[in-house]
Amino acid sequence: MKVEELDIDEKIGNVRDVLGETQKKRGVLIHAFQSIQKEYNYLPEDVLKSLSKKLEIPLAEVYSTASFYKHFYFKLRGKNVVCVCSGTACHVRGSDKVLEKIEESFGIKEGETTPDLSLTLETVGCVGCCGLAPVVTVNEEVVGDLNPKKVTGIIKRVQNAK
Amino acid sequence: MTKYNGVTMEKLKTIDELNILRERLKEETFKPDTPRIRVCSGTACTASGTPKLVTAIEEETGKKGLKVEVVKTGCQGFCQKGPVLKVEPQDIFYQKVKPEHVRWLINYTVIGGMPYRQGLYRDSFLTDPVPDVADIPFYKKQVRIALRNNGLIDPLNINQYIAVGGYSALAKALSSMTPEQVLDEVDKANLRGRGGAGFPAGKKWRHTKKAQGKIKFVIANGDEGDPGAFMDRSVMEGDPHSLIEGMLLCAYAIGAEYGMIYVRHEYPLAVKNLGIAIKQAEKFGMLGKNILGSGFNFTLDIREGAGAFVCGESTALIASIEGERGFPRPRPPRLSEPGGGAWGYPSNLNNIESYACVPPIIEKGADWFRSIGTENSPGTKVFALTGKVVNTGLVEVPMGITLREIIYDIGGGIMGGKKFKAIQTGGPSGGCIPEGLIDTPVDFDTLTKVGSMMGSGGMVVMDEDNCMVDVAKYFLSFCQSESCGKCPPCRIGTYQMLQILERITSGKGEEGDIERLEKIGKDIKQTALCGLGQAAPNPVLTTIRYFREEYEEHIHDKYCRAKVCSGLGMFRIENDECILCGLCKQACAFDAVKETSRSFLIDQDYCTKCKACYLACPVGAVKVEKKQHVTRDA
Ligand SMILES: Cc1cc2nc3c(=O)[nH]c(=O)nc-3n(C[C@H](O)[C@H](O)[C@H](O)COP(=O)(O)O)c2cc1C
Ligand code: FES
């Protein structure tokens, strides 16, 4: 999304009728982050600057809000995102082993991106597929019922995808 | 005028028009004699291969020229056996269906009317397979209210929702009940909030209704941040219209015009399905101005979260909706009061499942609802049963059912025939219930009494291989990392507790650590600002209460009986079991495994108890044992 194209009234939805201008501008902030991140994969500084101008919210406030939420990133992320679920069910069924194995194979730790930007490794609280624990998501796809053998399969899949 | 699945879709202007449409749809949809396959398209089944399966079914029926209706339903609950499907009219349940099974499945069941044995559910390899859904232990004891349509209808098809009786509660309320009567009915049903604390919904609605001000909000909490819980998601994904209808009824009762659904961002499918459902409801005239000609207005917006557990807390959720950092604030003002809700407007916040229970209550009456469950906790509750049980998945059971029934009858007992140790309920805010209390009935008050809570409905079963100290540490570290940092008891207190637990689980526990944990835990409970901090010590305090000896063992004997924690115990190789493969020696980074001509042994002076050899041994010959205390009598 281009910041200039951000339609505040449309994004805020039906409640626009009862809100003042400042409330509306503040109200679309998180929405705007989401759209920006969808486009750029992270929140680039210059885009946030123009967002701050457009919504008339100080840049420091913009950063303060964005950094509160785990979902927003300020650094470029890899083309593929592998996310190891560390929710309760996955933990009990050994998700840390899965994470270790992936960390080992790619030489990066959780939260890091490979230097060639092919892969970012993350953990998530719970993806809600506890029936299939332990679970990993590769980009949008959920891969469940893992064991070390299958982890290798995932790794291959990611490597082939790049 | 748009055509939609063969039905002309026009804005319904009156309640009668809706009723007429329903009658027509009832006849046209789900005809009893058409062959039908209801395939689960929940997130878990989709991950295990539903899309390929659907293609295979369509190809196969196309090839054979068969007319088979395929209904892509929401989560049917039995995710672990996914992809699952039901074939009608025979009502045969198939699990773990692969595309290559489809040919047989259609030949046998759809054409021949017989079960295809390979795809059926069975308790174990030794028992006979069970074709009939009603006979499968996992489903037998369930009673479905909130999940009534999951597994039945296509969530993206409003016609199917209407055909199975959807929006008839709305029609009833708008045509024959005053808002006050709707509220009274919910009050009388004693519907208690399914999102955690079990606060009576009727009371909350009344509060908001009484609040000054013309503009009011109805908000649904779909943040579902508890790791291990996914019931709200299955409603949002699998039956979005029942949430919309529940919110409509609430709005009608309390006089609200605006609604908001807050969904966590990890649930893209829920966001998508809700968006589609809202559009459909708007087109049909169930949302918007002058709904069904009644003069009642209500609109709905979706807000996506951005990955912060604390945003499930009511005041933090409001802050997040307003575009601020998701910080909780002290109450009052409550959400229901002027100045407390979204943008200061009085707001009613309920959990997704709470709203989903409302339409059946209005339709069938409070007495019907109260006839299910217990006196003080009527109705049902959906639980996400996970962990070390044979059958995992979503189960909806009447309140008052015992933990034993859930674990053994529905869950099929403990995996691998191991010994049950504890069940954790209520997520990171809940507690662990030990084996001795397994006959505890599950309802809001009893669970609180034993030190745990209902929470949003996560249930994690643990067996002898789970270390209770480690489990407590896991939940505490979750709360510690999710603490928003606003209040010191939560920010600093949880960190301190975690440090002590780290120490205990790495074999450096000290005398007095348990008491220190209890003291800090109680202090945090009393002084933290919001529910996150107030509940964060619960997992630690309950495990200390019920499994104190495990903590003591870690501290005094430096031993972890579940062999989960590293840095504890004494490592020894059992020569009788050793197959001399040498993997332990390779695994040891500290040269502690020594080799003789006929055996391997561990040099205790070098051993760091890192567990590498224990994990490396393919036959389990490395034993972790309690250190023997050498006591000398004087
Ligand atoms: C830290 C924290 C997280 C919470 N997360 C959720 C949640 O994910 N979903 C939910 O419905 N309620 C959650 N709650 C409870 C809500 O604050 C609120 O009580 C609930 O949504 C009210 O709805 P109910 O009365 O229908 O249960 C949370 C509370 C706290 C303190
Ligand atoms: S996703 Fe299919 S049973 Fe849950």
Side-chain angles (χ1 to χ4, degrees):
Chain A
M1 181 206 65
K2 296 266 178 306
V3 171
E4 299 73 42
E5 290 163 11
L6 176 70
D7 183 343
I8 298 174
D9 269 359
E10 188 217 309
K11 283 268 164 165
I12 196 94
N14 295 300
V15 290
R16 67 181 85 86
D17 307 347
V18 293
L19 299 185
E21 276 310 306
T22 3
Q23 285 173 326
K24 278 197 258 182
K25 283 182 175 157
R26 186 80 210 202
V28 293
L29 189 58
I30 294 172
H31 236 313
F33 291 152
Q34 259 143 1
S35 322
I36 294 172
Q37 183 150 302
K38 206 172 255 165
E39 168 127 1
Y40 298 93
N41 227 343
Y42 76 116
L43 300 179
E45 192 180 332
D46 51 330
V47 182
L48 286 187
K49 272 187 187 151
S50 39
L51 184 70
S52 144
K53 274 212 196 82
K54 165 135 186 161
L55 299 180
E56 295 172 313
I57 300 171
L59 190 60
E61 276 278 308
V62 170
Y63 267 99
S64 139
T65 310
S67 60
F68 181 86
Y69 296 97
K70 262 205 237 102
H71 173 52
F72 300 126
Y73 308 92
F74 301 99
K75 271 200 226 122
L76 196 55
R77 294 197 308 151
K79 253 193 250 118
N80 300 293
V81 180
V82 172
C83 211
V84 181
C85 180
S86 59
T88 319
C90 291
H91 176 78
V92 185
R93 288 199 181 172
S95 64
D96 35 352
K97 299 268 141 49
V98 173
L99 180 65
E100 256 169 46
K101 173 100 193 183
I102 301 179
E103 282 182 343
E104 216 176 88
S105 332
F106 288 100
I108 49 171
K109 288 253 169 275
E110 167 206 344
E112 292 179 351
T113 304
T114 49
D116 64 350
L117 293 181
S118 65
L119 174 88
T120 299
L121 180 62
E122 283 167 2
T123 58
V124 60
C126 177
V127 287
C129 285
C130 313
L132 304 178
V135 170
V136 162
T137 66
V138 181
N139 302 324
E140 300 275 280
E141 182 195 350
V142 182
V143 193
D145 250 334
L146 284 172
N147 52 39
K149 239 197 223 146
K150 284 202 201 160
V151 175
T152 324
I154 294 177
I155 293 164
K156 286 224 182 82
R157 184 171 342 174
V158 174
Q159 280 168 337
N160 290 339
K162 64 179 164 184
Chain B
M1 242 193 258
T2 19
K3 278 278 214 184
Y4 190 88
N5 273 16
V7 178
T8 320
M9 199 155 76
E10 241 180 304
K11 198 162 190 146
L12 302 167
K13 284 183 228 64
T14 62
I15 294 161
D16 283 341
E17 281 183 23
L18 171 63
N19 291 336
I20 294 166
L21 174 69
R22 171 169 317 104
E23 287 314 312
R24 200 175 82 218
L25 288 174
K26 255 186 196 159
E27 273 176 27
E28 287 170 4
T29 345
F30 302 146
K31 285 195 194 122
D33 43 353
T34 12
R36 187 174 307 111
I37 303 182
R38 298 192 205 254
V39 193
C40 178
S41 299
T43 301
C45 283
T46 303
S48 347
T50 298
K52 275 191 203 136
L53 198 58
V54 172
T55 324
I57 294 174
E58 278 163 0
E59 269 173 17
E60 190 63 27
T61 51
K63 227 174 4 193
K64 293 202 163 77
L66 288 170
K67 257 216 156 84
V68 177
E69 187 184 354
V70 178
V71 185
K72 290 185 235 166
T73 74
C75 173
Q76 305 190 354
F78 214 171
C79 313
Q80 177 205 11
K81 300 271 189 234
V84 302
L85 60 83
K86 242 182 314 187
V87 182
E88 294 175 10
Q90 294 85 356
D91 234 5
I92 297 176
F93 177 83
Y94 291 102
Q95 43 119 38
K96 299 209 169 182
V97 188
K98 301 222 168 61
E100 56 266 29
H101 295 157
V102 166
R103 206 174 96 207
W104 301 108
L105 208 146
I106 287 180
N107 278 348
Y108 272 83
T109 311
V110 178
I111 299 176
M114 281 183 337
Y116 164 61
R117 281 177 73 93
Q118 272 87 327
L120 297 178
Y121 170 85
R122 31 174 106 203
D123 286 336
S124 76
F125 286 115
L126 303 176
T127 53
D128 262 345
V130 192
D132 199 335
V133 185
D135 292 334
I136 294 173
F138 182 77
Y139 286 112
K140 216 163 129 190
K141 286 210 167 172
Q142 296 198 39
V143 176
R144 298 197 150 206
I145 297 178
L147 299 180
R148 60 192 179 282
N149 293 328
N150 271 52
L152 199 63
I153 60 168
D154 178 350
L156 301 182
N157 188 337
I158 187 171
N159 287 332
Q160 293 188 358
Y161 181 71
I162 295 176
V164 296
Y167 289 113
S168 57
L170 179 73
K172 179 177 175 188
L174 293 181
S175 61
S176 65
M177 293 168 90
T178 63
E180 197 58 44
Q181 281 172 325
V182 173
L183 213 164
D184 283 343
E185 205 63 30
V186 174
D187 212 4
K188 214 171 102 200
N190 193 14
L191 171 65
R192 298 178 65 173
R194 273 26 181 178
F199 191 82
K203 235 184 186 165
K204 202 189 275 185
W205 291 19
R206 199 164 300 251
H207 256 282
T208 323
K209 188 180 172 73
K210 272 206 214 116
Q212 291 265 321
K214 257 189 69 186
I215 296 162
K216 284 176 189 160
F217 277 76
V218 170
I219 304 174
N221 189 344
D223 195 44
E224 196 158 67
D226 285 12
F230 53 106
M231 38 264 146
D232 292 347
R233 178 175 82 181
S234 76
V235 173
M236 292 187 281
E237 288 178 0
D239 194 13
H241 284 288
S242 80
L243 169 64
I244 296 176
E245 192 180 359
M247 293 180 79
L248 271 161
L249 289 164
C250 173
Y252 177 69
I254 69 170
E257 289 200 5
Y258 296 96
M260 195 90 66
I261 307 174
Y262 188 88
V263 190
R264 96 191 260 249
H265 93 276
E266 282 92 338
Y267 290 174
L269 186 63
V271 175
K272 187 179 137 229
N273 288 7
L274 278 170
I276 295 173
I278 290 175
K279 284 240 164 65
Q280 290 175 345
E282 283 170 351
K283 275 209 182 121
F284 271 65
M286 247 81 81
L287 282 174
K289 295 254 182 278
N290 193 14
I291 293 167
L292 300 178
S294 64
F296 160 57
N297 309 324
F298 187 65
T299 58
L300 264 180
D301 293 313
I302 301 176
R303 286 288 181 277
E304 253 183 272
F309 172 64
V310 75
C311 285
E313 199 275 342
S314 49
T315 57
L317 185 138
I318 295 297
S320 179
I321 283 181
E322 292 173 359
E324 308 276 343
R325 312 181 67 158
F327 273 145
R329 59 161 176 79
R331 281 170 289 181
R334 290 195 214 139
L335 261 54
S336 53
E337 293 160 351
W343 294 285
Y345 299 117
S347 305
N348 183 78
L349 177 74
N350 274 123
N351 169 261
I352 303 284
E353 197 188 325
S354 312
Y355 284 119
C357 289
V358 176
I361 291 178
I362 298 301
E363 206 185 326
K364 301 185 189 161
D367 291 327
W368 163 80
F369 192 71
R370 296 195 66 122
S371 70
I372 301 162
T374 67
E375 177 62 26
N376 290 321
S377 306
T380 57
K381 175 81 191 84
V382 186
F383 291 101
L385 184 64
T386 55
K388 306 275 182 73
V389 273
V390 176
N391 301 328
T392 60
L394 270 195
V395 300
E396 181 166 357
V397 288
M399 298 268 194
I401 191 172
T402 62
L403 289 170
R404 183 189 298 279
E405 285 173 277
I406 297 182
I407 299 166
Y408 288 95
D409 297 347
I410 296 175
I414 309 298
M415 266 164 76
K418 297 249 175 163
K419 201 167 150 342
F420 170 76
K421 188 187 240 175
I423 181 162
Q424 211 279 350
T425 68
S429 332
C432 291
I433 301 170
E435 194 186 5
L437 294 172
I438 193 174
D439 287 309
T440 306
V442 177
D443 64 57
F444 288 104
D445 310 306
T446 321
L447 285 184
T448 314
K449 219 183 292 157
V450 297
S452 182
M453 66 189 263
M454 183 77 81
S456 54
M459 263 192 188
V460 187
V461 177
M462 286 172 260
D463 65 5
E464 52 196 335
D465 289 341
N466 291 114
C467 165
M468 298 318 285
V469 188
D470 177 69
V471 167
K473 187 175 82 173
Y474 167 79
F475 280 114
L476 190 72
S477 67
F478 176 82
C479 287
Q480 195 265 332
S481 69
E482 290 294 339
S483 169
C484 73
K486 186 170 176 177
C487 78
C490 174
R491 182 182 66 232
I492 303 169
T494 52
Y495 180 75
Q496 285 302 327
M497 287 179 79
L498 194 58
Q499 294 283 302
I500 298 176
L501 284 176
E502 288 284 356
R503 202 155 75 203
I504 295 176
T505 51
S506 57
K508 303 194 186 73
E510 295 164 11
E511 198 68 45
D513 272 350
I514 302 181
E515 291 71 23
R516 265 190 287 275
L517 282 173
E518 287 177 320
K519 166 92 178 53
I520 305 175
K522 279 186 192 128
D523 289 348
I524 300 177
K525 268 177 97 104
Q526 277 164 10
T527 51
L529 171 67
C530 82
L532 193 156
Q534 285 158 11
N538 278 352
V540 182
L541 295 179
T542 53
T543 45
I544 293 182
R545 180 164 153 195
Y546 296 120
F547 299 94
R548 202 183 180 96
E549 72 283 357
E550 279 195 36
Y551 279 83
E552 282 167 351
E553 231 167 41
H554 278 77
I555 296 173
H556 303 305
D557 303 328
K558 308 288 176 220
Y559 176 63
C560 170
R561 63 171 79 174
K563 308 185 176 70
V564 170
C565 308
S566 348
L568 294 167
M570 205 179 76
F571 288 70
R572 189 176 62 80
I573 293 168
E574 180 63 59
N575 279 337
D576 292 346
E577 290 172 33
C578 178
I579 52 167
L580 302 175
C581 65
L583 286 175
C584 52
K585 189 168 172 13
Q586 277 174 27
C588 185
F590 305 94
D591 257 346
V593 181
K594 306 287 181 211
E595 191 175 358
T596 69
S597 57
R598 271 159 291 108
S599 70
F600 286 90
L601 55 93
I602 292 171
D603 186 338
Q604 299 300 329
D605 288 343
Y606 287 95
C607 178
T608 61
K609 313 182 195 324
C610 68
K611 273 181 44 182
C613 54
Y614 175 76
L615 296 174
C617 182
V619 293
V622 179
K623 306 289 177 196
V624 188
E625 289 166 346
K626 213 188 246 192
K627 223 180 262 164
Q628 297 302 317
H629 286 283
V630 189
T631 42
R632 288 207 187 106
D633 294 322

